[in-house]
Amino acid sequence: MCGVHLLLTYFSLSQNQYGGRVCIYVCVCVCGVCVFTTIFLICSFLYLILGTIDPYVKFKLEGKQFYKCKVVYKSLNPRWNESFSHPLRDREHVVEVRVYDKNRTADEFMGSSTISLKHLQLYKTYEMELLLDDPKSKEDNMGVILVDWGCLKQRRWGSRKTETQRNQLKNQMWTGVLGITLVEGQDLPQHGRGDIYVRFRLGDQKYKSKVGLWREQFDFNQFEDNQEPLQVEVYSKRGRKCEESWGLFEIDLSRLPLNERQLYTHVLDPGKGRLVFLVTLRPCWGVSISDIETAALENPDERDTVVDRFSLKNSHKCVGEVGLLQVKVVKANDLPATDLNGKSNPFCVVELGNSKLQTHTIYKTLNPDWNKAFTFPIKDIHDVIELTVLDENGDKAPNFLGKLAIPLLTVQNGQEICLFLKKEDLGGTSKGTITLVLEVIYNKVRAGIRTFQPKETTLMEENVKFSKKVLARNIYRVRKISTAVLYTLQYIKSCFQWESTQRSLIAFLIFLVTVWHWELFMLPLFLLLLLGWQYFQLTGGKASPNLDLESGKKGLMDKIHMVQEVVLAVQNVLDEIANIGERIKNIFNWSVPFMSCLACVVLFVATALLYFIPPRYIVLIWGVNKFTKKLRNPYTIDNNETLDFLKRVPSDVQKVRVQFYIQIGKEFPEDVCIICCSRIPKCCRNISSGFV
């Protein structure tokens, strides 16, 4: 039983397709049981063809990755200061070191080498030269790895909770929050600039601003061992694929003072203007990873401190801290198998907003027992906890096993719950269950204040793709809402139509009393009474929220008809909205002078009435007319005068079809047809004038 201690100090590529030199010096110490590995990598090379690269190193044992160092972006001299450990039961192993260049699509392999642990002796240091090799490359010399290794003895074999696990879990925790406010761009080009947006990157955290006027605020988590700078790049996008960079610069965060807002104004490329943004580094409280037995809230003193911190009497202190969430990920059962041996390598990722922590991986099992406790600071009580169970897949992306989403406001403190995992879109049930214990402690006053502030922006937004199913579901949702609105309007209309004499009489009296005694405070009072009435209806069991989203399998013809109905509904709604907007515009454009003059007369009369007669009396007269119209004339046809007026005004499409010839103060020419606006031949003018 042994372990490996690695010190990776220098990395250099030698005359390969990357156009540079790479050298790696590794110090290996073999411990009796446990491995403590420190990496200090300085990568120095000339990247003559493609410029800089984004290198990182993976360490593999028996074909499985056991450590991956962080990526250093766009640097000719990257530095790593990381430590990790890995257990070995014996020294009959070979460690594979693989070097990659991180790209947006697929990471590029740069070469690999191996370190044999078989002939290591205790307390002895060796020096070796290992060649980087890539079987698919045509280059003979991919680089040289210089290795210094030594051996240390471990006293006893540790438990399964090795130093590697503890260090990997510790590296996930952040100690500060970097608040960034994107203010504005100054002196930007006015012509031919396209859509301008800004990309921010800090390690694996990325944020893309919206196009146009910014004034956006977002947060990055600042990790203690992260020495990478904040990268800011401005882009101009033209069309779907053409992007032009207007400038890239970096902000050194190591010298940033705590709780002090720093204003940065950076000059972009020549002629592209300046970028203005604010950066504030704040300390973070409440992030931890531990075993269930030593969870933060299991300690009575620490629990009392947290409860006191978020008590109502301390609502005025630290308003930005809403509460604390503790998640105990106990175990999972009956997970799907992804390997050929019928097993999986599951681990669980816990997300709250833009914060993410994960458990260690348990290999070759379908029933993992993680027994880990995580704590998160709560920024918004309306956030949702997302737990995703994944299968570790070596160098490839992990396989999805199941997902779960739990709103914070629905958490029942301290209760152990076993929930079914769902599919990736949370639409259906997947195979397997997960056992959790959740606890939320928060301040209700701070949570209420935070509710009226902007919601935290999601850093990694997914690219939305068109889906017929999603479109049909949204149309169905809109149809349900419109049906409810139409039902309410129909109910009000039935009061005007006196379909029920008792109901119409009561509505008429309520209308008269309300309008006569109307005050502005009655509007929120009415909404309050409506909410209270609905609450008593729900508690009494007389009403229940309808969450049906029209699910179920459909045949091919049903899907075709569904698509046709959805497209037709969207077409009609868009046509109605466009018609109303264009008709209002054409009234003010004097496209039809008669209608514009009529609108002027109506507006003048309305202005005079509102000036001389109080609005209360006008509303009373309108309501009395509405309620008594059916009594005065039982066969009257109800109508809406405003819509009737707008329907007389042509939309832009109708103007093109009919070709209105508009001349203010001039007569229509005799030699032009009033229907098609084309010239009339001389021989036909007398005939056409007879028809006119």
Side-chain angles (χ1 to χ4, degrees):
M1 298 181 181
C2 61
V4 183
H5 182 101
L6 302 178
L7 181 61
L8 185 56
T9 57
Y10 189 70
F11 179 68
S12 161
L13 281 174
S14 174
Q15 301 298 332
N16 52 27
Q17 73 269 28
Y18 301 102
R21 282 185 60 82
V22 177
C23 259
I24 298 182
Y25 297 87
V26 181
C27 173
V28 180
C29 301
V30 178
C31 315
V33 187
C34 186
V35 185
F36 181 75
T37 307
T38 302
I39 303 178
F40 178 70
L41 175 58
I42 306 174
C43 181
S44 178
F45 52 85
L46 298 175
Y47 197 59
L48 301 177
I49 300 177
L50 299 178
T52 59
I53 62 172
D54 305 327
Y56 66 92
V57 183
K58 290 183 179 180
F59 295 88
K60 301 181 69 175
L61 194 65
E62 296 181 332
K64 293 183 179 179
Q65 174 185 319
F66 66 88
Y67 190 76
K68 170 186 171 183
C69 72
K70 62 188 177 184
V71 182
V72 175
Y73 294 94
K74 297 184 179 181
S75 175
L76 297 177
N77 298 283
R79 294 177 179 270
W80 283 268
N81 291 297
E82 303 180 28
S83 61
F84 66 92
S85 57
H86 189 75
L88 296 174
R89 296 183 179 274
D90 53 61
R91 285 181 282 180
E92 300 293 328
H93 294 290
V94 175
V95 177
E96 184 179 8
V97 182
R98 300 174 67 89
V99 183
Y100 290 88
D101 173 27
K102 186 174 182 61
N103 294 323
R104 290 187 178 180
T105 53
D107 296 350
E108 191 170 0
F109 178 65
M110 299 177 64
S112 66
S113 184
T114 57
I115 303 172
S116 177
L117 309 178
K118 183 176 182 180
H119 303 293
L120 291 180
Q121 297 182 14
L122 296 177
Y123 307 109
K124 190 172 182 179
T125 304
Y126 298 87
E127 273 191 31
M128 291 187 61
E129 284 193 4
L130 304 175
L131 295 176
L132 284 175
D133 181 45
D134 183 4
K136 298 181 181 179
S137 176
K138 297 181 181 180
E139 300 290 337
D140 296 332
N141 187 3
M142 294 295 296
V144 179
I145 303 176
L146 302 181
V147 184
D148 292 333
W149 20 8
C151 305
L152 296 174
K153 184 160 175 140
Q154 182 86 1
R155 296 179 180 175
R156 60 184 178 85
W157 175 258
S159 64
R160 293 177 63 188
K161 299 170 184 177
T162 62
E163 190 70 24
T164 304
Q165 267 183 28
R166 287 193 289 270
N167 287 327
Q168 287 180 348
L169 294 177
K170 182 180 178 181
N171 290 337
Q172 302 179 51
M173 295 186 290
W174 58 97
T175 57
V177 176
L178 197 68
I180 302 173
T181 303
L182 181 58
V183 182
E184 62 181 357
Q186 297 178 351
D187 300 330
L188 300 178
Q190 296 297 323
H191 302 287
R193 64 182 187 180
D195 296 332
I196 303 174
Y197 63 91
V198 186
R199 286 183 181 272
F200 293 83
R201 179 164 61 181
L202 181 63
D204 294 332
Q205 303 174 89
K206 300 177 183 179
Y207 177 79
K208 177 182 175 181
S209 72
K210 297 182 178 63
V211 175
L213 298 175
W214 297 312
R215 299 286 178 174
E216 301 178 25
Q217 198 279 330
F218 61 95
D219 294 336
F220 277 156
N221 291 332
Q222 176 71 2
F223 297 87
E224 186 176 7
D225 61 342
N226 184 18
Q227 304 297 326
E228 298 180 20
L230 172 67
Q231 296 183 352
V232 185
E233 190 166 9
V234 182
Y235 285 91
S236 173
K237 183 176 181 181
R238 300 177 184 177
R240 296 181 59 185
K241 297 182 179 179
C242 182
E243 289 185 352
E244 178 187 2
S245 176
W246 281 9
L248 170 66
F249 49 89
E250 297 180 344
I251 305 296
D252 186 9
L253 303 178
S254 60
R255 301 180 180 179
L256 202 64
L258 286 175
N259 296 320
E260 291 186 16
R261 180 178 295 179
Q262 302 293 318
L263 175 65
Y264 292 92
T265 303
H266 275 268
V267 179
L268 304 177
D269 291 346
K272 302 302 183 182
R274 299 184 301 275
L275 182 69
V276 181
F277 60 96
L278 302 169
V279 178
T280 307
L281 180 60
R282 306 186 302 270
C284 183
W285 173 87
V287 184
S288 68
I289 305 176
S290 62
D291 297 331
I292 286 183
E293 297 79 9
T294 59
L297 297 182
E298 296 299 317
N299 186 344
D301 295 335
E302 188 154 355
R303 173 181 285 272
D304 293 340
T305 302
V306 173
V307 172
D308 182 70
R309 187 185 187 99
F310 298 107
S311 61
L312 291 177
K313 66 179 181 180
N314 293 324
S315 300
H316 61 286
K317 299 179 181 178
C318 302
V319 181
E321 298 177 0
V322 174
L324 182 74
L325 165 69
Q326 178 174 277
V327 183
K328 293 181 181 178
V329 184
V330 183
K331 61 182 178 179
N333 292 313
D334 196 24
L335 295 176
T338 57
D339 297 339
L340 295 178
N341 59 2
K343 302 293 183 179
S344 296
N345 305 320
F347 64 95
C348 181
V349 178
V350 185
E351 297 180 74
L352 182 66
N354 290 318
S355 303
K356 178 172 67 175
L357 296 172
Q358 71 179 53
T359 67
H360 57 285
T361 304
I362 299 182
Y363 296 94
K364 298 180 181 180
T365 181
L366 300 180
N367 303 287
D369 292 328
W370 292 297
N371 293 315
K372 288 294 178 184
F374 306 92
T375 58
F376 294 86
I378 298 176
K379 299 180 181 178
D380 192 343
I381 195 61
H382 306 282
D383 279 340
V384 176
I385 317 161
E386 291 188 0
L387 297 101
T388 308
V389 181
L390 301 171
D391 169 65
E392 187 177 302
N393 197 18
D395 294 340
K396 300 179 182 178
N399 299 317
F400 177 82
L401 299 179
K403 191 174 183 178
L404 197 62
I406 305 173
L408 289 178
L409 288 173
T410 63
V411 170
Q412 298 179 355
N413 287 343
Q415 293 189 8
E416 184 173 289
I417 53 177
C418 183
L419 302 173
F420 286 101
L421 294 173
K422 295 187 177 182
K423 297 180 180 179
E424 196 163 4
D425 60 353
L426 298 173
T429 304
S430 180
K431 184 182 180 183
T433 60
I434 188 169
T435 303
L436 308 167
V437 179
L438 304 175
E439 192 160 1
V440 174
I441 300 175
Y442 71 100
N443 183 283
K444 294 181 174 59
V445 175
R446 299 179 195 171
I449 295 173
R450 185 68 179 85
T451 303
F452 295 96
Q453 297 174 355
K455 189 175 177 63
E456 184 180 19
T457 307
T458 303
L459 296 182
M460 300 298 293
E461 293 186 354
E462 299 180 357
N463 294 326
V464 181
K465 298 181 180 179
F466 175 77
S467 171
K468 298 188 294 292
K469 182 179 179 181
V470 174
L471 179 61
R473 183 183 65 192
N474 292 340
I475 292 294
Y476 176 72
R477 293 162 60 195
V478 173
R479 187 177 297 171
K480 285 179 61 178
I481 295 174
S482 60
T483 301
V485 173
L486 290 175
Y487 176 79
T488 304
L489 295 177
Q490 188 66 30
Y491 183 84
I492 296 173
K493 184 179 179 180
S494 67
C495 295
F496 293 140
Q497 297 294 326
W498 292 83
E499 295 179 1
S500 172
T501 305
Q502 181 181 3
R503 185 175 61 194
S504 298
L505 184 59
I506 294 174
F508 184 47
L509 294 176
I510 292 175
F511 172 78
L512 292 177
V513 173
T514 303
V515 173
W516 185 258
H517 297 283
W518 173 258
E519 297 293 341
L520 195 58
F521 73 88
M522 292 183 179
L523 179 59
L525 177 62
F526 170 75
L527 297 177
L528 179 63
L529 294 175
L530 188 61
L531 284 172
W533 170 259
Q534 187 66 18
Y535 174 77
F536 286 115
Q537 290 285 97
L538 291 173
T539 54
K542 298 181 180 179
S544 60
N546 187 8
L547 300 178
D548 181 28
L549 291 180
E550 197 182 33
S551 61
K553 295 184 178 180
K554 296 183 178 180
L556 178 60
M557 294 305 298
D558 293 334
K559 291 182 179 179
I560 294 175
H561 288 303
M562 178 194 70
V563 173
Q564 291 177 346
E565 291 177 0
V566 167
V567 173
L568 185 61
V570 172
Q571 173 184 304
N572 293 336
V573 170
L574 293 179
D575 182 60
E576 288 296 327
I577 295 173
N579 283 339
I580 293 174
E582 291 172 354
R583 284 166 176 166
I584 295 174
K585 180 197 70 174
N586 290 334
I587 290 175
F588 290 93
N589 284 348
W590 291 80
S591 296
V592 183
F594 176 79
M595 298 300 294
S596 298
C597 290
L598 188 59
C600 290
V601 173
V602 172
L603 292 175
F604 177 77
V605 173
T607 302
L609 290 176
L610 290 172
Y611 181 78
F612 291 104
I613 303 175
R616 189 190 307 270
Y617 298 121
I618 295 177
V619 175
L620 276 175
I621 294 172
W622 173 85
V624 170
N625 175 64
K626 273 289 186 180
F627 273 102
T628 59
K629 183 185 291 187
K630 191 70 174 180
L631 298 177
R632 289 183 280 111
N633 186 2
Y635 304 104
T636 186
I637 298 176
D638 197 19
N639 67 313
N640 188 305
E641 292 80 2
T642 304
L643 292 179
D644 293 339
F645 174 81
L646 287 176
K647 287 179 180 178
R648 265 64 172 191
V649 182
S651 64
D652 289 351
V653 175
Q654 292 171 334
K655 286 173 60 180
V656 172
R657 290 175 180 173
V658 181
Q659 287 291 331
F660 281 92
Y661 192 93
I662 305 170
Q663 283 192 344
I664 301 177
K666 295 183 180 180
E667 295 182 357
F668 201 89
E670 294 182 357
D671 59 343
V672 177
C673 177
I674 63 173
I675 299 177
C676 63
C677 296
S678 60
R679 291 284 177 178
I680 302 175
K682 292 183 178 180
C683 60
C684 300
R685 290 179 185 174
N686 295 331
I687 300 176
S688 62
S689 62
F691 285 106
V692 176

